[in-house]
Structures are given as C-alpha cells and as structure tokens.
C-alpha cells in the first residue's frame, strides 16, 4: 500500500525539528562566542603582564610608578 504524504494521521516532525535545530545552533554559537572572548581576554592579560614586567617602572613627568613589584 502506498504512503500518501500530507494525511492527517502523519506527525509533522519537520515543523518541530527546524525550530529546535535553529535554537540549538544559536546556543552552541553563543557558547563558542563566550569561550572565544574569554580566551582573548586571557591572552590580552598575559601579554600585558609580560610587557609590563619587561618594561620595569614607568615614569611620566618625574613621577615613577612601579607597575609590578618583585618580592
């Protein structure tokens, strides 16, 4: 017996699958964006620490500021 599409007894799976697939992709993309931002902030903080440690004390107009103290 041939199956006829569009009968009232069919469960419209596509109607529910597409919104969930789109929402899932949106959530995964959001988590990926948050992870990328956190990684970039971590790299920027590390670079700032390395540069400030290599530069030593910073002086402007006779006022010297020691950024990181070594104990």
């Amino acid at each position: 017996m041939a199956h006829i599409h569009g009968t009232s007894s069919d469960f419209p799976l596509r109607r529910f699958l597409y919104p969930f697939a789109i929402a899932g992709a949106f959530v995964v993309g959001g988590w990926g964006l948050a992870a990328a931002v956190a990684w970039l902030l971590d790299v920027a903080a590390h670079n700032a620490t390395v540069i400030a440690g290599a530069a030593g004390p910073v002086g402007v107009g006779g006022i010297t500021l020691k950024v990181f103290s070594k104990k």
Side-chain angles (χ1 to χ4, degrees):
M1 185 169 172
H3 180 70
I4 301 172
H5 294 283
T7 60
S8 61
S9 64
D10 289 340
F11 183 73
L13 186 61
R14 277 190 198 162
R15 200 170 83 184
F16 294 105
L17 184 64
Y18 287 141
F20 281 113
I22 292 170
F26 183 77
V27 168
V28 169
W31 277 107
L33 183 64
V37 168
W39 178 77
L40 284 174
L41 288 175
D42 182 49
V43 170
H46 182 264
N47 287 338
T49 304
V50 169
I51 290 170
V58 177
V60 176
I63 299 172
T64 303
L65 174 67
K66 192 167 187 179
V67 181
F68 291 98
S69 62
K70 296 180 182 176
K71 293 183 180 180

